[in-house]
């Protein structure tokens, strides 16, 4: 199997093949690590959990080392690693059948309703290459956003793999079929079924999203305004930032929500009413909020302290989806994602 557009020259491929055949573990590790970030993203798309993607990436490297004699240079080294990573993910999903499908039913699923779905920190994404490079697909915003991750969880594992390889990474049908041990006809059929399912579960306006790799200046400016309004508990400013039909989803354990069910609020007025007790009144909190980015989306890491206390405690991560100069959705995740963002538990 060969992979078109991989970008590796003949000399580079010969060098990699020599390293593999030499059996020097240190040199082999150096070659493999060049692909670590994009393979982690690939595993993340397959399983939607950052921690599990980390484990599966390391498992991919271990399998690559133990099976290095199977690499004969007929495919690119990158394609060979993707084969190993994909199969590791499929094995994982076979062992965890509850991860195969999110809750059934049509319509977009909020990412916070899928228990295993976690954000992915932008600082661990591959560097954004030039748009004409094939690797640009690996970090395109539209295929790393939380809404896409939530939608793809509705696909059976092999359909998930097909749509990622074909529509995200741009692999030809023949290469995808060979990796999965299927016929081209079978792979194409799986792709069509997967595309139909995704149309049901992606947000209706997703076709308007730009296939970019970096947050825009408008998103960065909007995030700064959201952070300032949150720190000041300025409900009027927060109201102005939310679109009238905005949605808010809050995972159990996030932002003071201690009940066992995910909370959903539809509409700006309902969201502001839910936020009011923490911002104004006898139980109001003091906030420290920091800008960050996950899944190519702006996010706010929120710390709180009760009045009179000296330490701010990690409270939750608000991930924003924006359109124009307004916030259309806020997804509140628990503070246990702070360590992967390099954030402390207290401030």
């Amino acid at each position: 199997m060969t992979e078109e557009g991989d970008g590796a020259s003949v000399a580079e491929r010969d060098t990699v093949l020599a390293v593999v055949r030499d059996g020097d573990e240190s040199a082999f590790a150096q070659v493999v690590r060049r692909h670590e970030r994009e393979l982690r993203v690939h595993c993340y798309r397959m399983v939607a959990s950052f921690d599990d993607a980390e484990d599966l990436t390391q498992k991919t490297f271990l399998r690559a080392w133990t099976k290095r004699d199977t690499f004969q240079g007929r495919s690119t080294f990158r394609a060979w690693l993707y084969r190993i990573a994909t199969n590791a993910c499929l094995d994982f999903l076979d062992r965890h059948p509850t991860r195969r499908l999110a809750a059934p039913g049509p319509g977009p699923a909020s990412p916070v309703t899928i228990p295993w779905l976690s954000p992915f920190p932008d600082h661990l994404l591959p560097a954004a290459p030039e748009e004409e490079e094939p690797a640009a697909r690996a970090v395109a915003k539209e295929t790393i956003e939380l809404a896409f991750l939530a939608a793809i969880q509705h696909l059976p594992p092999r359909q998930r793999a097909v749509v990622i390889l074909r529509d995200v990474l741009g692999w030809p049908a023949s290469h995808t079929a060979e990796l999965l041990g299927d016929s081209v006809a079978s792979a194409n059929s799986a792709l069509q079924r997967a595309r139909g399912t995704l149309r049901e579960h992606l947000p209706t306006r997703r076709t308007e999203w730009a296939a970019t790799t970096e947050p825009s200046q408008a998103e960065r400016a909007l995030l700064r305004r959201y952070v300032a309004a949150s720190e000041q508990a300025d409900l009027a400013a927060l109201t102005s930032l939310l679109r009238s039909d905005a949605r808010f989803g809050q995972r159990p354990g996030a932002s003071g929500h201690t009940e066992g069910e995910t909370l959903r609020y539809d509409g700006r007025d309902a969201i502001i009413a839910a936020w009011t007790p923490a911002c104004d009144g006898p139980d109001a909190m003091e906030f420290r909020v920091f800008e960050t980015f996950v899944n190519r989306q702006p996010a706010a890491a929120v710390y709180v302290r009760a009045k009179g206390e000296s330490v701010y405690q990690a409270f939750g991560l608000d991930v924003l989806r924006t359109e124009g100069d307004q916030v259309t959705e806020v997804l509140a995740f628990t503070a246990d994602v702070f360590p992967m963002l390099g954030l402390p538990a207290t401030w």
Side-chain angles (χ1 to χ4, degrees):
M1 178 175 67
T2 61
E3 185 184 359
E4 297 174 356
D6 181 74
S9 67
V10 173
E12 288 173 325
R13 295 183 187 187
D14 289 345
T15 299
V16 170
L17 185 58
V19 167
V20 173
R21 289 175 174 172
D22 184 59
D24 184 312
E25 186 172 359
S26 177
F28 184 84
Q30 288 183 7
V31 172
V32 169
R33 293 289 176 187
R34 296 173 190 170
H35 305 279
E36 180 175 12
R37 290 196 170 207
E38 63 174 303
L39 288 171
R40 187 191 288 120
V41 171
H42 179 61
C43 293
Y44 173 70
R45 285 195 179 101
M46 286 289 296
V47 302
S49 162
F50 176 80
D51 289 339
D52 290 331
E54 283 272 70
D55 292 342
L56 287 163
T57 304
Q58 299 310 311
K59 183 169 291 187
T60 296
F61 292 168
L62 180 60
R63 287 188 180 183
W65 171 249
T66 58
K67 297 181 177 181
R68 61 191 182 279
D69 59 334
T70 66
F71 179 69
Q72 302 298 321
R74 289 189 294 270
S75 71
T76 66
F77 191 65
R78 178 173 178 262
W80 183 70
L81 289 175
Y82 266 95
R83 177 199 291 269
I84 295 172
T86 302
N87 286 323
C89 292
L90 291 173
D91 291 345
F92 173 87
L93 292 169
D94 283 343
R95 295 194 306 271
H96 298 83
T98 58
R99 298 282 191 92
R100 295 184 188 179
L101 291 173
S110 173
V112 293
T113 65
I114 301 174
W116 59 88
L117 193 156
S118 62
F120 192 108
D122 274 19
H123 71 269
L124 292 177
L125 288 170
E130 296 297 327
E131 285 301 315
E132 64 269 16
E133 295 183 21
R137 294 174 177 269
V139 293
K141 178 179 177 179
E142 64 175 0
T143 61
I144 198 67
E145 282 204 10
L146 289 168
F148 179 80
L149 268 294
I152 209 169
Q153 297 308 294
H154 290 78
L155 300 177
R158 294 182 75 81
Q159 284 187 29
R160 201 178 303 180
V162 168
V163 81
I164 291 171
L165 293 168
R166 291 290 312 278
D167 286 351
V168 176
L169 298 176
W171 283 33
S174 58
H175 298 176
T176 300
E178 186 176 346
L179 183 149
L180 294 172
D182 285 337
S183 66
V184 171
S186 177
N188 284 336
S189 176
L191 178 63
Q192 294 307 312
R193 293 195 302 274
R195 286 172 173 170
T197 301
L198 287 180
R199 281 194 293 270
E200 294 178 7
H201 295 288
L202 284 167
T204 55
R205 300 181 66 178
R206 182 177 178 273
T207 55
E208 301 174 15
W209 299 357
T212 57
T213 55
E214 296 288 348
S216 68
Q217 290 302 315
E219 286 175 313
R220 294 179 186 276
L222 184 55
L223 176 59
R224 287 193 293 270
R225 293 168 58 201
Y226 183 88
V227 165
S230 299
E231 279 206 331
Q232 297 162 17
D234 187 338
L235 290 169
L238 287 168
T239 300
S240 71
L241 292 175
L242 296 173
R243 202 169 68 181
S244 60
D245 61 348
R247 297 186 303 171
F248 174 60
Q250 190 173 16
R251 182 165 286 180
S255 304
H257 169 38
T258 57
E259 300 175 15
E261 298 294 328
T262 300
L263 293 181
R264 293 282 303 275
Y265 299 94
D266 293 320
R268 178 173 55 206
D269 293 344
I271 296 170
I272 294 300
W275 289 352
T276 296
C279 296
D280 186 27
D283 297 322
M285 310 291 288
E286 296 178 353
F287 296 88
R288 289 293 304 276
V289 188
F290 299 91
E291 299 176 21
T292 188
F293 289 88
V294 298
N295 298 75
R296 299 295 188 199
Q297 295 177 249
V302 182
Y303 292 79
V304 300
R305 71 178 180 184
K307 291 179 180 178
E309 293 186 356
S310 60
V311 176
Y312 288 87
Q313 304 286 341
F315 195 56
L317 181 74
D318 291 350
V319 183
L320 312 182
R321 187 158 66 87
T322 68
E323 290 184 22
D325 61 352
Q326 288 191 301
V327 176
T328 59
E329 186 172 33
V330 180
L331 302 169
F333 290 89
T334 58
D336 59 5
V337 303
F338 280 27
M340 72 180 185
L341 297 170
L343 296 171
T346 60
W347 200 271

